[in-house]
Amino acid sequence: MTSEYRRDVFQAIADPTRRKIIDLISQQPMNLKTIAEYFDISRPAISQQIKILIECGLVEVKRVGRETYCTIQPGELKKIADWAGQYAGLWEDRIDSFEKYVNKLHTKKNKKYGKFK
Amino acid sequence: MTSEYRRDVFQAIADPTRRKIIDLISQQPMNLKTIAEYFDISRPAISQQIKILIECGLVEVKRVGRETYCTIQPGELKKIADWAGQYAGLWEDRIDSFEKYVNKLHTKKNKKYGKFK
DNA sequence: ATAATTGGTAAGCGTATGCTTATATAAATA
DNA sequence: TATTTATATAAGCATACGCTTACCAATTAT
């Protein structure tokens, strides 16, 4: 784990606590204490979770006096939306049978090379 | 873990191997052996990963003879895209200045306690 | 019929994860 | 100045994770 280490953002959002933190600070920046009030776990636990969110670039932190304000960095969230969104074609017209699936793939191919048909 | 147990889909996509499996079978249904050829890990390992993908509804399986064909179930992927996509507003007009936020807070506070000032 | 192929499951193992409590530090408050 | 507050970090611990090998069942090929 060097200094340029960047944690996998998909691994980061796997934890429901971290997703809730993201949700909270996406509405407005929040210091750690305020965030912790939304959970039943200790503040060190929250601190550790935030550290993970920082390491993968989902959260940025600014120290103001003794408080640490957390703000969201939406860029990494966009990467996730893009990854899942690349399969949008699959849920447009839903495939519920193996045969249909094969058919659809075939159609796609035809579309792609349609001008050569 | 009862029969109606459903694994967290965010946890499921946290593993890079599982994401690669998703990527492979999103292009076309594939049996386990074929999938395994894309990896350096054992077939039982792949089998276990696929089981997890089934448990969270990302993959459906069809037994044909002795082969097990895996097809993607895009519905759960849409949930992920929706979750990440709900923050789209944040990356459109980005709030990158903490000062802006403090300003906003200050305004709020003044509103709240303004009459006692 | 026998052997090979495909894949599922169990046991075991090293490592990662997510929490706790204890301790330390810096900043605000009385 | 002494105390409280906000936070970070370390150590420890139980559990989850992801892989391996060993084994079994079912299907296909020889």
Side-chain angles (χ1 to χ4, degrees), chain A residues 7 11 15 17-18 41-42 44-45 48-49 65-66:
Chain A
R7 188 183 284 264
Q11 191 272 333
D15 184 76
T17 298
R18 287 194 290 266
I41 58 178
S42 69
Q48 289 157 18
Q49 298 288 37
R66 62 185 162 181

Side-chain angles (χ1 to χ4, degrees), chain A residues 17-77:
Chain A
T17 298
R18 287 194 290 266
R19 286 202 300 279
K20 192 172 169 185
I21 292 174
I22 289 170
D23 191 48
L24 286 168
I25 68 175
S26 73
Q27 297 169 42
Q28 62 175 304
M30 229 174 248
N31 65 9
L32 195 145
K33 191 214 170 196
T34 309
I35 294 171
E37 284 167 359
Y38 290 87
F39 297 89
D40 288 330
I41 58 178
S42 69
R43 273 195 268 181
I46 299 292
S47 181
Q48 289 157 18
Q49 298 288 37
I50 290 172
K51 192 180 182 187
I52 289 169
L53 293 172
I54 294 168
E55 283 171 1
C56 73
L58 275 169
V59 164
E60 210 176 44
V61 129
K62 180 165 187 177
R63 196 81 197 237
V64 177
R66 62 185 162 181
E67 298 173 47
T68 296
Y69 278 86
C70 303
T71 60
I72 198 131
Q73 295 287 106
E76 294 298 315
L77 285 171

